[in-house]
Amino acid sequence: MAMVTVAAVGLPLNGVPAHAAAPRAVVAEAVREQVADGGSATFWVTVAGRADLSGARAREGKAAKGGYVRTTLIAAAERSQASLRGFLRERRAAFQPYWIANALRVTGDRRLVDDLARRTDVVKIEPDPEVPPIVPARPEAGKARAGADPEWNIQRIKADRVWNELGVRGEGVVVANIDTGVWFQHPALLPSYRGTFSTGRVNHNYNWFDASGQCPGNTPCDEEEHGTHVMGIEVGAQQVGVAPGARWIAARAGGLDEFVAAGQWMLAPTDLTGANPRPELAPDVINNSWRVRDAPPGFYGDVIAAWIAAGIFPVVAAGNDSLGGACETMHWPPSLAEAYTVANATAGNEINPTSSRGPASDGRTKPDISAPGSGIRSTQTDGEFAEQTGTSQAAPHVAGAVALLWSAAPALKGDIAATRRLLDDTAGPIPDLSCGGTAEFNNVAGHGMLDVYKAVQAAPRADVGGLRGVVRRAGTGRPLPDATVRLSGPRSVVLTTDATGTYRLDRAVPGTYTATASAFGHAENTTSLTVRRGKTLMSDLTVRPLAATTVTGVVHRADGLPAAGAVVTPVDAPVLARTDADGRYRLDLPLGRMELRTEPADRCALPLDTSATVAAGAPINITLPLRTDAYGHTCTATGSYRAGTVALPVSGRAGAAVQVALPFAMPLYGQPYTSVWVAADGVIGFSGKPEPDWGDQLPSTWWVETLPRFTPEVAVFPFHSRLDVDAQAGVFIAETADAFVVEWRNVRTLNRVGEGRGRISFSATLHRDGSIEFAYRVAEPDGWTAGRNAVVGLTDINGDAFAYSDHDLAVNDGLGVTLRP
């Protein structure tokens, strides 16, 4: 289905329907073709009118600037789109309006396209292009663990010198990416995620936006591993990230409409429901490692222009389309004037042949700068590290560099033009004139290699002061971890206290700030603080506790069993309680309406959000839903490891399977089976011999519906993954009158490119009554033995599936699970 894009242009905001026969808007030929056969298409419609955002320059601070930009854009879109929205409603056409680009995504037929083209408030009707992410040009295997020294690319741009000699690591700056998502649990990313509390608990409100709607539970995910690798280069710890002291947030997007929605969200992040926008929580820098080949000229420029007006720096990857060094291969959005575009440099200080080159279609010299992008080691979604190559890897070096710059010189924060000049002027020239330009600024390398140390040295760092203190509970003086201090004044900053209740801003623009301290269960307190040049102001802040009570309750599973070890916590708050063996908990909470989130200790029950009223003496009992399938399978976190005694002729990496008889008729999904196929890759097939079925990924249980080319089968998956039953491993069986055991002993897990990882043993015990036990012994724990590339559960030939774990880190040494029909 096609899509049409509406980009804003400089026309009055007074478009009205036109009744003349002649079309007024430009309709792309591709749209005409899509609706020519009488069918419908989805397209973008550009509306006349552009909001004047120049007033943002007079606003001080992120909250004021971002709030002004957002409200101005929304008001302009409401005015310019009002008549068109009414027309589309009358025609009962499906549409989605956007305000950041003054555009609507519309679905309709040829008649609707013709009628839209006659309107004076419609400027363009254009198709939606394909939006693939900028995938690495050359993914490679690399060191799985962090090294003792900074990676070569970190040293090449001299970020390590900024850390060690200037004491700057990006503190006080928030970076973001719009990408395939981020696996936030990576040890090198979790501490710097803005949603991480000092207790280790996470809060995704205002820190994560899934425009695709595909991440389970609205929790950050990244099946493609692209965004995770990119974010590690921006802020990753363990010597891989440029600005490891900065904090990060992220948005997931794939289609053009999702990128626009993510662009809107970045101006004023919302909670997970999409409500309560807060412009003061917008990021300072946004990395965009994606591109579109055939996008409407100029589209998304309005999105980037809105970010710039709000003081947000836009970094964009140049793309991997040069076809061996070809010129004029710069697509959109890196070709946009507003984008700060980054080329991919090699360790030899040359531009990678795959890196897209200018000039842009309007003759503009692009890219703007170069950064290392070849063989870059960064974070992976298995908790480890690997090397990838592409401009996707080059761009986040610049995003991290801006974080270092703005942390070192807060007077620059939000000044996009001055920051671009600094980066341009301090880059080391790469004089490649093969596509035109000069030695200092050309269409292959831009201004040359990024030198963040030189840029920070050239920045206005002298006129700064500092601010430090502890947020305390009024009356007792107790320090409050995870409290928030919002500073507005010469610059806007949102700070969070650490585990000791301390907040700090080591480099602040001198002047008077309004400081608002807040903490869960306490009233906000606002005071005035004055920062002086060369001095650190020490100022403790106090907040008054609200009326509260001790809440007690019991957490049960839906089958009546107590949920031992479950965590009960208010949404957005760091406090939590853990249930005892009987499912009981105690938690101090402020009086009033409260959203509670309960997370079970095991995967046999599901998390639950509960809205409750906190009142003195009133218990809050919670019942967790069970993980199940349509047939009614449930599970408990119990199961015994059983060893096999008879070796099966099953070995190798894929395809090996042998059929064996069962000692009884085993019922599964209502059908009895007297024999099974045991496969090397952790599968017991009931309806036939399991076939090797992995491509780029192993098939997950949900693929039965989403990818019908995979034939459903009746099968048990104790640990369905890429496995190597080598000379040190084996598959064994044992049987009694009531149980049949299959044991995979000491098998080697393989990653997605077939490299050997950790070893794991696991057993599946099939019982006469239809229950199944899984149990695990992990000899070499890592992301692969934990299940990052595995499916644990059951499937039915009709497409039903019980997924205990689906490519999740859910397996550990000693785990036992019993599934029952």
Side-chain angles (χ1 to χ4, degrees):
M1 189 172 284
M3 196 180 294
V4 183
T5 307
V6 186
V9 295
L11 298 176
L13 295 172
N14 61 354
V16 295
H19 301 288
R24 296 174 179 269
V26 176
V27 181
E29 186 60 32
V31 178
R32 296 280 191 199
E33 293 174 357
Q34 290 163 1
V35 297
D37 60 357
S40 64
T42 302
F43 45 87
W44 288 86
V45 178
T46 303
V47 180
R50 167 170 284 165
D52 181 4
L53 302 179
S54 61
R57 290 194 291 268
R59 269 67 179 178
E60 291 290 343
K62 181 179 292 185
K65 280 184 179 292
Y68 176 85
V69 170
R70 182 178 183 275
T71 56
T72 300
L73 286 170
I74 291 174
E78 291 288 340
R79 292 194 303 271
S80 60
Q81 296 178 16
S83 176
L84 179 56
R85 293 180 193 179
F87 166 76
L88 292 171
R89 291 189 190 99
E90 290 177 1
R91 294 290 294 269
R92 297 184 178 179
F95 69 95
Q96 175 63 50
Y98 296 91
W99 44 263
I100 197 167
N102 198 15
L104 294 90
R105 182 174 181 257
V106 180
T107 299
D109 55 14
R110 178 176 179 176
R111 180 185 174 191
L112 182 63
V113 170
D114 290 342
D115 289 346
L116 288 170
R118 294 187 195 65
R119 295 179 59 92
T120 59
D121 51 357
V122 171
V123 179
K124 298 177 184 177
I125 302 176
E126 296 170 291
D128 179 55
E130 183 183 357
V131 190
I134 300 183
V135 297
R138 186 168 56 92
E140 308 162 54
K143 293 177 293 183
R145 302 299 177 192
D149 299 319
E151 293 295 308
W152 75 267
N153 46 296
I154 300 297
Q155 298 182 54
R156 176 61 52 84
I157 67 171
K158 303 175 187 173
D160 56 324
R161 294 188 65 183
V162 177
W163 308 341
N164 300 328
E165 297 178 27
L166 305 179
V168 177
R169 300 173 70 87
E171 298 84 355
V173 179
V174 178
V175 303
N177 69 15
I178 300 176
D179 213 295
T180 61
V182 177
W183 193 67
F184 74 97
Q185 301 99 321
H186 195 291
L189 294 176
L190 183 61
S192 57
Y193 177 45
R194 194 172 67 182
T196 301
F197 290 119
S198 63
T199 59
R201 185 181 165 269
V202 294
N203 171 29
H204 302 307
N205 288 296
Y206 302 100
N207 303 311
W208 166 250
F209 177 65
D210 180 14
S212 72
Q214 294 178 354
C215 288
N218 215 350
T219 297
C221 70
D222 180 18
E223 296 96 337
E224 299 177 47
E225 303 193 355
H226 187 267
T228 301
H229 198 268
V230 168
M231 186 59 77
I233 299 169
E234 291 184 72
V235 298
Q238 303 186 45
Q239 314 276 21
V240 300
V242 175
R247 316 235 25 210
W248 66 269
I249 64 175
R252 171 185 167 109
L256 186 55
D257 56 324
E258 295 172 11
F259 283 109
V260 177
Q264 290 187 164
W265 184 86
M266 286 290 177
L267 273 180
T270 67
D271 60 27
L272 292 176
T273 69
N276 306 307
R278 295 180 61 181
E280 76 275 13
L281 295 181
D284 300 302
V285 189
I286 302 174
N287 186 82
N288 299 268
S289 286
W290 54 275
R291 59 91 176 89
V292 181
R293 291 180 182 274
D294 303 310
F299 190 72
Y300 217 76
D302 291 322
V303 176
I304 297 178
W307 293 346
I308 292 173
I312 300 171
F313 196 98
V315 180
V316 179
N320 308 318
D321 300 296
S322 73
L323 303 176
C327 305
E328 298 185 64
T329 50
M330 189 76 63
H331 296 291
W332 166 100
S335 62
L336 294 171
E338 298 89 350
Y340 194 67
T341 305
V342 189
N344 166 13
T346 68
N349 224 41
E350 299 175 339
I351 301 304
N352 192 297
T354 64
S355 185
S356 295
R357 288 146 163 80
S361 58
D362 61 359
R364 183 182 310 276
T365 300
K366 281 283 183 176
D368 296 284
I369 200 167
S370 301
S374 302
I376 306 302
R377 193 176 69 92
S378 185
T379 45
Q380 294 290 105
T381 58
D382 59 357
E384 298 180 358
F385 302 85
E387 294 179 4
Q388 293 186 9
T389 291
T391 59
S392 287
Q393 282 58 51
H397 285 82
V398 175
V402 174
L404 292 181
L405 256 179
W406 286 3
S407 180
L412 274 176
K413 201 171 186 180
D415 191 335
I416 312 303
T419 303
R420 289 180 70 141
R421 285 194 299 270
L422 260 178
L423 294 171
D424 292 347
D425 294 345
T426 56
I430 300 178
D432 188 330
L433 308 185
S434 59
C435 291
T438 66
E440 293 76 23
F441 186 34
N442 56 71
N443 285 304
V444 176
H447 290 90
M449 176 63 76
L450 169 69
D451 188 332
V452 65
Y453 179 74
K454 191 173 182 180
V456 171
Q457 282 188 312
R461 293 183 292 129
D463 295 331
V464 296
L467 186 60
R468 190 179 305 175
V470 177
V471 177
R472 301 183 183 275
R473 180 184 176 101
T476 66
R478 178 169 64 88
L480 296 173
D482 301 303
T484 298
V485 179
R486 299 195 307 273
L487 300 174
S488 59
R491 292 294 182 272
S492 292
V493 183
V494 179
L495 305 175
T496 303
T497 62
D498 61 19
T500 68
T502 301
Y503 72 95
R504 61 185 299 167
L505 184 62
D506 292 335
R507 293 169 294 276
V509 176
T512 299
Y513 291 82
T514 298
T516 301
S518 59
F520 175 75
H522 296 74
E524 288 188 348
N525 183 27
T526 299
T527 188
S528 180
L529 302 174
T530 300
V531 175
R532 292 183 170 81
R533 175 184 175 184
K535 297 183 180 298
T536 296
L537 174 65
M538 306 297 294
S539 179
D540 287 358
L541 305 174
T542 60
V543 288
R544 176 178 55 83
L546 300 171
T549 188
T550 299
V551 172
T552 60
V554 181
V555 180
H556 281 104
R557 296 167 26 125
D559 58 6
L561 295 175
V567 172
V568 183
T569 179
V571 176
D572 300 341
V575 299
L576 58 85
R578 196 176 299 276
T579 59
D580 62 17
D582 296 322
R584 299 184 181 278
Y585 73 93
R586 296 171 61 89
L587 187 60
D588 292 333
L589 297 174
L591 300 177
R593 201 69 181 165
M594 183 72 58
E595 294 292 324
L596 297 178
R597 181 167 181 83
T598 306
E599 299 177 354
D602 61 70
R603 299 176 63 84
C604 290
L606 298 173
L608 180 68
D609 290 334
T610 305
S611 182
T613 298
V614 177
I620 301 177
N621 297 321
I622 298 165
T623 300
L624 296 178
L626 298 178
R627 186 179 296 275
T628 188
D629 58 9
Y631 187 76
H633 285 100
T634 59
C635 70
T636 55
T638 57
S640 299
Y641 191 95
R642 293 176 173 86
T645 57
V646 178
L648 294 180
V650 175
S651 62
R653 293 192 167 199
V658 62
Q659 188 174 21
V660 294
L662 295 175
F664 47 79
M666 165 75 180
L668 187 59
Y669 287 103
Q671 297 295 322
Y673 294 90
T674 57
S675 66
V676 294
W677 288 85
V678 177
D681 55 359
V683 180
I684 303 175
F686 282 69
S687 57
K689 180 182 177 182
E691 297 294 333
D693 50 13
W694 45 65
D696 294 332
Q697 291 185 348
L698 288 171
S700 307
T701 48
W702 58 266
W703 286 28
V704 171
E705 294 182 0
T706 57
L707 297 178
R709 68 176 180 273
F710 290 99
T711 303
E713 59 184 354
V714 182
V716 171
F717 302 135
F719 193 86
H720 179 32
S721 185
R722 290 192 175 192
L723 302 174
D724 186 6
V725 185
D726 59 12
Q728 303 177 49
V731 181
F732 302 83
I733 61 171
E735 63 181 63
T736 68
D738 297 311
F740 179 79
V741 176
V742 183
E743 180 198 16
W744 286 258
R745 187 181 301 168
N746 201 39
V747 294
R748 172 74 73 185
T749 57
L750 305 173
N751 65 14
R752 290 177 180 172
V753 294
E755 297 174 319
R757 294 300 186 181
R759 289 189 180 272
I760 183 174
S761 300
F762 54 94
S763 70
T765 304
L766 311 181
H767 292 277
R768 183 185 292 271
D769 64 0
S771 62
I772 304 169
E773 290 181 78
F774 298 153
Y776 305 86
R777 292 176 178 172
V778 180
E780 300 172 10
D782 64 10
W784 305 100
T785 57
R788 178 64 188 89
N789 205 35
V791 172
V792 178
L794 313 169
T795 59
D796 182 25
I797 201 164
N798 296 317
D800 195 8
F802 181 93
Y804 177 83
S805 172
D806 188 354
H807 293 72
D808 298 313
L809 302 185
V811 175
N812 54 63
D813 186 42
L815 173 69
V817 180
T818 298
L819 289 72
R820 293 184 174 86

